[in-house]
Amino acid sequence: MRNRKVYNESATRSQKFSLWIASHFLPDSKVRVAWDGFIFMVIWYNSVITPIRIFIMSGETTPQILISLDVVFDFIFVADTILRFYRPYVDENTGQVVMDPHLIRTKYRGSFTFWVNVIACIPIVKIPISPLLTGTQQNTLHTYFNVLRMIRVLHLPGQFQS
């Protein structure tokens, strides 16, 4: 039988959500491993396709499927950045899993990974200006904003740690 957490009735909705996410993203959980693997594949895709798009494809030659995937990946990167505010980690000093939401958020905000993820999420801000641009301008803007996403490669070595 699976061990389920019993949430305190007096806990706020936000606290319950934090605990629910934390319980599913424990460092050794299948969900966490699957999510990290998925994010790894998205980063890998981005690090291979973006240079190809910049140097080989340009403007109208970019297939619509790649543009659509870019938009989906923008939202996935935002979701991953938000999830990291709730993901438990193993304390380096004690070896214990830290589930306290305040400690998790404080550690993440102070980490190099947080700033890498924030920069990688910048492409999401281009969506409001997209209707003002021509098709070629949108493709060019989208391609160059993807370079910002490639910065996530910097934290691939630590992707499966913490």
Side-chain angles (χ1 to χ4, degrees), residues 48-126:
V48 170
I49 295 299
T50 298
I52 291 171
R53 286 185 56 193
I54 290 172
F55 296 111
I56 298 172
M57 302 175 194
S58 63
E60 299 295 329
T61 63
T62 304
Q64 186 60 42
I65 187 70
L66 292 181
I67 295 168
S68 299
L69 279 174
D70 286 344
V71 172
V72 169
F73 292 159
D74 284 345
F75 285 102
I76 288 170
F77 284 140
V78 169
D80 184 56
T81 300
I82 293 168
L83 275 174
R84 287 177 179 270
F85 280 105
Y86 300 95
R87 290 171 38 148
Y89 65 93
V90 177
D91 185 278
E92 295 169 359
N93 297 323
T94 65
Q96 299 293 315
V97 175
V98 176
M99 301 257 311
D100 182 297
H102 177 70
L103 293 175
I104 293 169
R105 290 181 189 115
T106 301
K107 180 177 168 88
Y108 180 51
R109 273 193 309 256
S111 71
F112 174 70
T113 302
F114 171 72
W115 295 106
V116 167
N117 288 346
V118 166
I119 291 168
C121 288
I122 289 175
I124 203 77
V125 302
K126 72 184 170 294

Side-chain angles (χ1 to χ4, degrees), residues 20-41:
W20 185 84
I21 293 289
S23 69
H24 287 82
F25 279 86
L26 290 168
D28 60 349
S29 73
K30 290 179 183 178
V31 172
R32 170 92 167 249
V33 171
W35 180 258
D36 286 348
F38 175 68
I39 292 298
F40 174 82
M41 293 305 296

